[in-house]
Amino acid sequence: MRGAKRAQWGVCAVSVALVVTACGGGVDTRGSGAAGIVSSSWGDPQNPLEPANTNEVQGGKVLEMIFRGLKRYNPRTGAAENVIADRIETTDSRHYTVTLKPGWTFSNGEKVTAHSFVDAWNYGALLDHRQKNAPFFQYIEGFDAVHPDHGRPTAKTLSGLKVVSPTKFTVALNQKFSSWPDTLGYTAFMPLPKTFYSHHDAWVKKPVGNGPYAVESYTKGSVMKLRKWEQYPGADKARNGGIDLQVYTDNNTAYTDLQAGNLDLVDDIPATQLKNVRADLGGRYLNEPAGVIQTLTYPMYDKRWNGKNGAKLRRGISMAIDRASITEEIFRNTRTPATDWTSPVLGAKGGFQNGICGEACEFHPDTAKALIKAGGGLPGGHMTIAYNADTGSHKDWVDAICNNINNALGSDKACVGAPVGTFADFRNRISSEKMSGPFRASWQMDYPLIQNFLQPLYYSHASSNDGRYSNPKFDKLVNEANAATDRTETIKKFQDAERILATDMPTIPLWYQNGNGGYSDRISDVSLNPFSVPVYNEITVH
């Protein structure tokens, strides 16, 4: 997802010095013993829970529980499967007809119709509404008119969207995009009820959706209570009475509460606890592959990193990193050294190809030193690696990478970590192009397509291209991949684009990240989906 998705813990006004009590003001993290209620660690969302404005983990967890769209990603395989869509048809991979299944309603009783989708997409795309997920609508005809790069919109709605009947609408794209239907499980494409527009302020305070849960209450900095919607028409009904999402600012505190029996579920085990977690939790410890990759991103807008021999410099730094040792010693094998820019969860059929990065992602300190020298050396003889310090989980691995680089160059002052106080400040510096050296970045897939790992991050001027990388050859291959109607050809083109990344090295792939978590003996049937998010609706309470 977008940059904000990297945040793992929200901001809480209550002191985190409390050890057993969470930072939610003393709220009972076990749901006051209510029948079938699961308590889970969480962080306040960055933005209001509008589907087109939520692009980070914590808000995404809620939207997955309170909304269902045309498709949903299978919690086991990640495959995009029809939910409200009865069928999505095309003859040319550019013009699509969407037919809805009958019988779907929002939790307030309003029917889910074609307008529920078309109106929501138009709202999300319009520049005036400043929705962070607006770029997801860029392939629909008329996007440039409703969301221009400069100036005011010249239209209010996307010309490529047409309602045909209450259960049918058509979509015209501005280019061929054969995999477009598979993107429609992402939260930006969720339907919205009429009350979203007519009583927007009230809706934002208490969102109304059409998923297996409904929002009962939310106290910022404390807890969001979701309860099972008994009239939910879908097949994936909640198997528990509800979820209490308890706000924590420190995953160590959440883990302590889990051990003390004050919390049912955590979905981010602190790195400092990984050596003990199996002994602590036994079979209640979760460690599952997820569509998440950690990288270091270079500020390509800074000529010191993007000069004539910049690729050699960037490649050399990558080859100085001992990924295998770091993932084993610090992360206790909850990470796997990266060999490309995607994720193994895609599988070969989804576009993952082991080793595309080649030697650039291997540990060769002598070669690294020679390449860094050939690339003109570190700018000013010194480099920093920036990271947000508020989670407490990045310092160790950043220091380890700097130690690798220092050892390769024979200098203990060549590289040092550069902590930024909060995630918000960190992201603001990135967005305003104020980074002077490599900075940590992480990408959690929005949908399980190779396209999602490449285009949003490396296509010229793409919404999450934080380093401002640009290569016309890469862009051309991405365009050709999207237009290809044969899936094999699509994947081949994307992999060819990846090989350009292996030459240019605008980012350093570090490791693929597993989802990890743990749960109490009070609940069972707990698992993480390929996005590393708990499958809340399947959890049962003893």
Side-chain angles (χ1 to χ4, degrees), residues 194-211:
K194 294 176 182 177
T195 54
F196 175 84
Y197 314 100
S198 61
H199 297 82
H200 187 258
D201 290 346
W203 190 97
V204 167
K205 292 178 181 178
K206 189 175 182 181
V208 174
N210 65 327

Side-chain angles (χ1 to χ4, degrees), residues 435-449:
M435 290 300 184
S436 59
F439 52 92
R440 87 155 191 100
S442 180
W443 185 255
Q444 182 179 33
M445 64 183 183
D446 301 306
Y447 41 83
L449 296 176

Side-chain angles (χ1 to χ4, degrees), residues 279-295:
D280 291 343
L281 301 179
R284 293 180 284 111
Y285 168 55
L286 303 170
N287 180 25
E288 302 174 12
V292 182
I293 184 171
Q294 185 88 51
T295 65

Side-chain angles (χ1 to χ4, degrees), residues 93-389:
S93 296
R94 183 175 174 185
H95 297 86
Y96 291 86
T97 299
V98 180
T99 304
L100 308 181
K101 296 174 182 175
W104 280 83
T105 67
F106 294 97
S107 59
N108 64 359
E110 179 187 331
K111 290 184 177 180
V112 177
T113 68
H115 271 292
S116 306
F117 288 96
V118 170
D119 293 348
W121 297 4
N122 279 324
Y123 181 94
L126 185 61
L127 179 63
D128 295 351
H129 298 142
R130 303 186 181 280
Q131 301 287 284
K132 293 184 180 297
N133 285 331
F136 281 91
F137 305 104
Q138 65 184 311
Y139 293 105
I140 300 175
E141 281 189 356
F143 183 78
D144 289 346
V146 302
H147 202 106
D149 291 334
H150 305 285
R152 303 299 307 156
T154 58
K156 296 291 186 181
T157 58
L158 294 159
S159 60
L161 295 179
K162 303 291 183 185
V163 173
V164 177
S165 74
T167 58
K168 184 178 292 186
F169 65 98
T170 60
V171 185
L173 304 183
N174 49 36
Q175 67 174 64
K176 290 184 176 181
F177 190 175
S178 59
S179 299
W180 180 76
D182 289 340
T183 71
L184 300 178
Y186 182 54
T187 54
F189 297 103
M190 295 300 107
L192 287 169
K194 294 176 182 177
T195 54
F196 175 84
Y197 314 100
S198 61
H199 297 82
H200 187 258
D201 290 346
W203 190 97
V204 167
K205 292 178 181 178
K206 189 175 182 181
V208 174
N210 65 327
Y213 294 93
V215 176
E216 180 178 85
S217 65
Y218 173 39
T219 303
K220 186 176 177 64
S222 179
V223 64
M224 174 175 280
K225 296 184 177 183
L226 299 111
R227 295 297 178 259
K228 178 180 181 179
W229 178 32
E230 296 292 348
Q231 287 75 45
Y232 173 66
D236 55 331
K237 297 179 185 295
R239 300 177 187 174
N240 49 69
I243 308 292
D244 282 355
L245 295 175
Q246 179 68 39
V247 176
Y248 287 83
T249 60
D250 184 355
N251 54 1
N252 286 286
T253 306
Y255 188 75
T256 300
D257 273 354
L258 174 67
Q259 289 181 293
N262 298 321
L263 189 67
D264 290 322
L265 175 64
V266 298
D267 60 357
D268 185 21
I269 302 295
T272 55
Q273 298 292 345
L274 290 174
K275 62 181 180 295
N276 305 316
V277 67
R278 291 188 185 278
D280 291 343
L281 301 179
R284 293 180 284 111
Y285 168 55
L286 303 170
N287 180 25
E288 302 174 12
V292 182
I293 184 171
Q294 185 88 51
T295 65
L296 290 181
T297 296
Y298 290 103
M300 301 294 278
Y301 46 81
D302 188 331
K303 292 183 178 179
R304 296 176 301 170
W305 292 101
N306 194 19
K308 181 180 178 181
N309 295 312
K312 292 180 180 179
L313 171 62
R314 300 189 297 271
R315 186 181 184 90
I317 292 172
S318 178
M319 295 177 75
I321 300 172
D322 187 354
R323 295 163 176 80
S325 293
I326 293 173
T327 53
E328 180 179 354
E329 295 172 11
I330 294 179
F331 293 115
R332 303 285 173 166
N333 298 315
T334 61
R335 312 288 192 274
T336 304
T339 66
D340 87 322
W341 282 264
T342 68
S343 169
V345 301
L346 295 177
K349 291 183 179 180
F352 172 72
Q353 186 173 6
N354 186 36
I356 281 184
C357 186
E359 287 190 347
C361 286
E362 297 174 2
F363 180 49
H364 298 292
D366 293 338
T367 305
K369 182 177 182 179
L371 280 171
I372 292 171
K373 181 179 180 180
L378 300 181
H382 176 78
M383 67 174 282
T384 59
I385 297 176
Y387 63 95
N388 58 297

